[in-house]
């Protein structure tokens, strides 16, 4: 596709369940970012990938969060044992290194 | 490490000007500016790579003072379509980390 694609667009899950969020970046973009945005708040950096490697995972809020990227393309953000405070919009962005970032429409996660 | 934006919110009348500031405690390699409308993803406005460089598009321009580790976004003769939340993003080194500020909410009224 022409843009960054995220799925699902909405996810409602029960507290304690695991969820997987997917990001399909723009073809050829080596840099991929995950951000979290709580209602009415700014963008919280979670993790950055350059190719398949994640040089910096320090933004992940807890060890319940993990992310991987395979083939230098699709990335998956996994949240284990979800908590209510995990409810937010999770945004993925991709770019050529140092260039403008293109954002997906996000996944709205609601933990009930 | 997150850049600091000011002000947090601005209310303008159509045609008025506004300035949004972004500052960092770390030496900057680049500054990006994005705008996010309610319920939508952030959209890229511009990137500044050199100290002191000023870029612009129509009535929105920005400056980057590398020495002061600051950037400012200038909105001239604001239009209703300028309403949204503006974020600055700062990166350095090999872009291992790219942080956004907390955002400035701009509301342009008729």
């Amino acid at each position: 596709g022409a843009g960054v694609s995220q799925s699902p667009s909405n996810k409602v899950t029960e507290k304690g369940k695991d969820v997987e969020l997917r990001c399909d970046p723009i073809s050829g973009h080596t840099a991929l970012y995950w951000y979290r945005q709580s209602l009415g708040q700014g963008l919280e950096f979670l993790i950055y990938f350059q190719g398949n490697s994640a040089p910096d995972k320090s933004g992940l809020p807890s060890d319940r969060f993990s992310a991987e990227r395979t083939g230098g393309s699709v990335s998956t953000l996994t949240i284990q044992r979800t908590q209510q405070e995990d409810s937010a919009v999770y945004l993925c962005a991709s770019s050529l290194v140092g260039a403008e970032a293109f954002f997906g429409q996000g996944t709205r996660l609601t933990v009930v | 490490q997150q850049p600091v934006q000011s002000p947090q919110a601005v209310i303008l009348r159509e045609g008025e000007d506004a300035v949004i500031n972004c500052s960092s405690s770390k030496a900057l390699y680049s500054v990006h500016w994005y705008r996010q409308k309610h319920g939508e993803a952030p959209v890229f406005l511009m990137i500044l790579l050199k100290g002191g460089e000023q870029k612009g598009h129509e009535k929105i321009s920005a400056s980057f003072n590398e020495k002061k580790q600051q950037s400012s976004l200038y909105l001239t003769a604001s239009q209703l379509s300028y309403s949204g939340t503006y974020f600055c993003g700062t990166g350095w080194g090999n872009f291992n980390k790219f942080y956004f500020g907390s955002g400035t909410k701009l509301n342009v009224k008729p």
Side-chain angles (χ1 to χ4, degrees):
Chain A
V4 177
S5 177
Q6 289 188 247
S7 60
S9 54
N10 280 285
K11 176 72 176 179
V12 180
T13 189
E14 292 181 351
K15 179 181 172 181
K17 299 280 189 183
D18 298 351
V19 295
E20 283 190 355
L21 312 180
R22 177 188 168 106
C23 173
D24 202 341
I26 292 173
S27 177
H29 280 188
T30 54
L32 187 147
Y33 305 87
W34 282 98
Y35 294 92
R36 179 168 70 175
Q37 188 172 35
S38 300
L39 186 63
Q41 301 300 310
L43 298 168
E44 177 189 3
F45 170 86
L46 296 179
I47 191 168
Y48 159 78
F49 287 93
Q50 175 56 30
N52 288 339
S53 65
D56 185 359
K57 302 179 182 179
S58 63
L60 296 175
S62 74
D63 58 9
R64 296 187 293 105
F65 287 71
S66 63
E68 64 176 12
R69 188 180 186 192
T70 55
S73 180
V74 173
S75 176
T76 302
L77 178 70
T78 302
I79 308 173
Q80 295 178 312
R81 305 181 301 282
T82 52
Q83 304 294 312
Q84 287 186 330
E85 61 261 30
D86 298 335
S87 296
V89 175
Y90 290 81
L91 288 163
C92 173
S94 73
S95 75
L96 297 172
V97 176
E100 66 177 281
F102 293 83
F103 283 83
Q105 290 301 308
T107 294
R108 182 176 297 279
L109 177 67
T110 303
V111 182
V112 297
Chain B
Q1 292 179 335
Q2 184 179 22
V4 176
Q5 283 187 236
S6 64
Q8 290 185 330
V10 182
I11 299 176
L12 296 174
R13 290 289 179 188
E14 219 174 346
E16 292 181 338
D17 302 340
V19 179
I20 301 172
N21 299 304
C22 174
S23 64
S24 172
S25 60
K26 292 186 66 171
L28 296 174
Y29 175 80
S30 68
V31 178
H32 296 211
W33 286 96
Y34 294 79
R35 178 171 63 205
Q36 183 179 34
K37 292 189 178 286
H38 183 69
E40 300 179 5
V43 173
F44 173 81
L45 292 176
M46 64 188 73
I47 179 174
L48 300 104
L49 293 174
K50 295 181 180 179
E53 184 176 5
Q54 189 158 353
K55 287 193 173 184
H57 176 66
E58 295 182 350
K59 295 178 180 176
I60 299 177
S61 62
S63 63
F64 177 21
N65 189 320
E66 189 177 340
K67 192 173 182 180
K68 292 186 177 180
Q69 297 168 191
Q70 291 178 345
S71 177
S72 295
L73 186 72
Y74 306 94
L75 299 104
T76 306
S78 58
Q79 304 170 16
L80 296 176
S81 61
Y82 288 1
S83 292
T85 300
Y86 290 77
F87 293 98
C88 69
T90 56
W92 48 84
N94 293 322
F95 273 79
N96 280 351
K97 294 183 181 182
F98 191 78
Y99 288 107
F100 284 92
S102 56
T104 296
K105 293 182 181 178
L106 181 73
N107 186 4
V108 181
K109 296 187 173 182

